[in-house]
Structures are given as C-alpha cells and as structure tokens.
Amino acid sequence: MKLLISFCLVCLPLKNLHINSGYGFRVHPLTGKYAMHYGIDLKARHDTVYAVLDGTVKSVGYDDGLGIYIRLDHGDVESVYGHLSRILVGPQDSVKAGDPIGITGATGRVNTCTSVSAIRANTLIQLNFYMNY
C-alpha cells in the first residue's frame, strides 16, 4: 500500500507530453554514433518544468554537457533537470511534486532547444524535452 501511495505523489515534468524519441539504441543526434539512449525525448517550447517528486534542491548550476541544471534530492532517488533556460528554485529549497522549478531551454551540449530530466535510483530513467520551433 505504501508503494501505491508513493506512486500517487509523482507528477509529470511537463504539462503536455509528446514523445520525440524513445528509449533504446539510436543514432546520437550530435555524434552520429549508434548508442544506447537511456531516456525518452519530449518536445517542449519554453515550457515550465515541474518537480516529479517531493524533495530538496541539492544543487543548481552550469555544466558543459547539461547546461543550466537543477538536482533534486528525494531521499533514495535523485532527479536531474538540464538544458534549462531559467531556474526557479535555489539550493536547499523544499519542493513538492508539481512545483515549478525551471523553464526549458537550449543550454549546454544540444543540437536544438531542449531540457533533460533524469531520475536516478538503482537505474537511470531520463526524459529529454526538445523545444520545437
């Protein structure tokens, strides 16, 4: 029952979801190499990004690959949101599932406007948000 209750506290990272590229092997759009894609790419256009679980902002910053990013600590799980254009939270802020935390963008190593969301536990689940112009 506790698992069911925990599952109900999960929020989608975007209001509108449209899959651009699925999980599995693919030709990487930047390197041109055939490789495993550990995520699902979703289209977005300067959309608000929402926390998928309750948690605390572990860090915010800039990374050459992720661009502008946010890391949230959820206890046994960590979520990472990258390639953002704007951060709406600060370090040590508490967030609830569904709280706005950032705006999708095109920072870091990208070939189009995009945002990445990754959830890490024992395995990595990654959601990428691609902006559509």
Side-chain angles (χ1 to χ4, degrees), residues 55-63 66-73 78-82 84 87-93 101 120:
T56 304
V57 179
K58 185 174 180 180
S59 63
V60 298
Y62 185 87
D63 175 85
L66 278 177
I68 297 172
Y69 72 88
I70 301 167
R71 289 185 190 277
L72 300 181
D73 181 9
E78 177 183 274
S79 60
V80 181
Y81 307 81
L84 303 172
I87 294 172
L88 305 177
V89 292
Q92 302 307 313
D93 283 353
I101 59 170
R120 292 188 174 107

Side-chain angles (χ1 to χ4, degrees), residues 17-31:
L17 299 179
H18 178 79
I19 297 175
N20 192 40
S21 179
Y23 176 91
F25 284 94
R26 70 173 185 176
V27 175
H28 191 281
L30 293 176
T31 67

Side-chain angles (χ1 to χ4, degrees), residues 30-49:
L30 293 176
T31 67
K33 295 180 180 178
Y34 189 69
M36 182 62 178
H37 178 235
Y38 295 96
I40 299 170
D41 298 346
L42 302 173
K43 290 183 182 180
R45 183 178 179 136
H46 296 291
D47 292 342
T48 302
V49 178

Side-chain angles (χ1 to χ4, degrees), residues 41 49 65-66 68-70 80-84 104-105 110 114-118 126-130:
D41 298 346
V49 178
L66 278 177
I68 297 172
Y69 72 88
I70 301 167
V80 181
Y81 307 81
H83 305 302
L84 303 172
T104 60
V110 296
T114 177
S115 175
V116 172
S117 172
Q126 180 173 308
L127 300 174
N128 302 319
F129 310 108
Y130 283 89

